[in-house]
Amino acid sequence: MTTTTNRELLRIAVHSLFYLAMIIAIMMMWEDGGVFVYENF
Amino acid sequence: MGRWCVMNRVWAWYRRHYLLVNVSILFLLIDLALGIVDPLHRVKTPLDDALAEIDKRPAGTRSAVLLVGNSAVQVGVDAKDMETQLERAGLSVAVYNVGLASTSLRDIPHEIAAVEKRGVKVAAVVVGMNLFAGDVRFEPLMYPWADRSSPYVFFYRTLWRRRIARNVVKAWHRVTKTPEKTDDAGSQDFRETVFLARFQNTTPSDLAFSELGGILKSLASNGIATHVVLLPQNPKGTAQLAQYAELMRALRAEMPKDLLDVADSFSPDEFRDVGHLNEHGRAHLTDALARWLTLRMQAK
């Protein structure tokens, strides 16, 4: 454990958040079969 | 010494597979948090407006008549005016409009349940039907009864995208100080296009009108009287839809025989678009509905 540096922890955090954001973005952009949502009239 | 050895091995494993661990845990946590906070449903919906109206005009000891259906009911009938007209005919009931934008006939039981939850005694419902009401291919996601079956972000992706897009447009207009186009002005063409796009490849089997019978039956078994009205649609829009007559035939076939059918009896200048009435149309439909309902309720 002594070999872990702050730099490595930062790298782990940044990578994790980046891939999480990618997964969420892909989910959000996923084809929805043309669902049409009226919201307000 | 032994414990350090294990810890080192675990750490070494984690350093290799940190993405697998972190991303899944973070994803689960975020999904849990989103499900609890539910940011998409913190925005006011037509349901909130309908319930606020009930609080504003409480039924008291009277029982209530609910107008249920989609946005065509929501904008097409003036519940307060109708209540006055029924009162004048000697019928002391509260009338509430619970028509909710973008819902289909499958949402009708939820609309009624939402009102009953407020302690209102529902004696009768007026079910407003049109082509949109039978279209269950599109689920409204903004109401609390949407049954979420997948992660929050994925399930509500359409709603997210719409909200984001709308806020970007709003921000753009605020920054450039240009006025936003409102729904009323110049949008008739757009909504006619929406109507055509939605129904031009539709066959009667795509629409779930046959489910109305079951819904009416279950309401009747709960002691709620049901009245069905076939709502007006703009002839200017429906004339452009090749299979309009075929779809309407399928719709009428599934309706009870004693319905009020005003589907094709309003003129184009009473509409905002294909399915939504303007102020004139609203007054016209409210009067027609109140007269019809008075006769039916007095006959009982």
Side-chain angles (χ1 to χ4, degrees):
Chain A
M1 274 177 98
T2 45
T3 53
T4 312
T5 58
N6 285 343
R7 208 188 162 87
E8 186 176 9
L9 286 178
L10 185 69
R11 183 177 66 93
I12 286 176
V14 169
H15 278 192
S16 303
L17 290 177
F18 175 77
Y19 281 98
L20 183 73
M22 291 306 279
I23 289 174
I24 288 179
I26 289 168
M27 278 192 161
M28 245 188 201
M29 291 186 290
W30 201 273
E31 177 68 45
D32 55 16
V35 173
F36 196 89
V37 182
Y38 284 122
E39 277 199 80
N40 289 305
F41 278 98
Chain B
M1 185 64 194
R3 202 200 301 161
W4 271 114
C5 194
V6 171
M7 287 285 276
N8 271 332
R9 277 169 64 181
V10 169
W11 183 243
W13 181 87
Y14 177 75
R15 279 168 79 183
R16 279 177 78 98
H17 302 291
Y18 65 93
L19 276 181
L20 200 69
V21 179
N22 288 9
V23 171
S24 24
I25 290 177
L26 280 173
F27 184 81
L28 286 175
L29 285 180
I30 285 181
D31 197 58
L32 194 68
L34 282 174
I36 293 169
V37 177
D38 201 5
L40 287 174
H41 292 109
R42 302 210 158 216
V43 179
K44 219 168 73 167
T45 66
L47 176 67
D48 298 307
D49 292 337
L51 295 178
E53 180 67 20
I54 293 176
D55 293 339
K56 219 169 84 189
R57 300 189 285 116
T61 54
R62 297 172 297 170
S63 51
V65 174
L66 303 186
L67 306 159
V68 297
N70 56 20
S71 55
V73 175
Q74 187 189 329
V75 301
V77 192
D78 185 339
K80 202 173 157 195
D81 185 29
M82 201 158 135
E83 187 178 300
T84 315
Q85 293 197 37
L86 292 182
E87 187 87 57
R88 228 177 278 145
L91 294 161
S92 177
V93 285
V95 182
Y96 299 123
N97 191 337
V98 206
L100 303 180
S102 135
T103 56
S104 73
L105 52 82
R106 280 189 191 161
D107 298 293
I108 288 172
H110 298 291
E111 291 172 1
I112 298 168
V115 174
E116 281 179 328
K117 238 202 234 159
R118 294 264 158 152
V120 175
K121 166 96 187 66
V122 180
V125 293
V126 179
V127 181
M129 290 294 295
N130 58 12
L131 287 184
F132 285 92
D135 194 351
V136 293
R137 292 170 297 181
F138 306 100
E139 274 187 70
L141 300 175
M142 65 274 208
Y143 299 112
W145 52 81
D147 195 10
R148 187 159 70 88
S149 51
S150 53
Y152 196 92
V153 176
F154 183 72
F155 186 76
Y156 290 120
R157 58 198 185 279
T158 320
L159 210 51
W160 277 117
R161 290 204 299 251
R162 241 185 98 86
R163 292 268 166 89
I164 291 169
R166 192 191 296 156
N167 283 315
V168 167
V169 169
K170 247 191 202 152
W172 170 255
H173 284 290
R174 206 175 308 133
V175 168
T176 59
K177 295 196 169 70
T178 46
E180 259 184 272
K181 233 170 87 177
T182 60
D183 250 358
D184 276 335
S187 65
Q188 177 147 338
D189 289 345
F190 165 71
R191 291 210 194 285
E192 269 170 30
T193 320
V194 167
F195 173 77
L196 292 176
R198 183 120 163 211
F199 291 110
Q200 65 192 356
N201 294 320
T202 300
T203 59
S205 62
D206 293 326
L207 304 173
F209 298 128
S210 57
E211 291 178 20
L212 185 68
I215 293 168
L216 294 180
K217 209 179 273 171
S218 102
L219 288 174
S221 70
N222 288 326
I224 297 175
T226 55
H227 311 277
V228 178
V229 51
L230 214 46
L231 298 163
Q233 292 169 121
N234 192 341
K236 222 176 105 196
T238 57
Q240 296 174 48
L241 182 67
Q243 70 273 43
Y244 175 68
E246 185 195 355
L247 293 176
M248 286 307 282
R249 212 176 308 123
L251 167 55
R252 286 193 172 98
E254 299 290 349
M255 297 297 115
K257 294 288 160 277
D258 57 349
L259 84 170
L260 174 68
D261 187 349
V262 285
D264 300 306
S265 53
F266 278 52
S267 71
D269 56 4
E270 291 178 301
F271 290 88
R272 279 162 63 168
D273 47 55
V274 180
H276 302 105
L277 295 164
N278 60 22
E279 284 307 308
H280 303 293
R282 184 179 157 96
H284 182 175
L285 180 63
T286 305
D287 283 350
L289 206 52
R291 267 201 307 275
W292 178 72
L293 205 59
T294 305
L295 290 176
R296 277 174 73 92
M297 290 176 77
Q298 281 172 341
K300 282 237 161 97

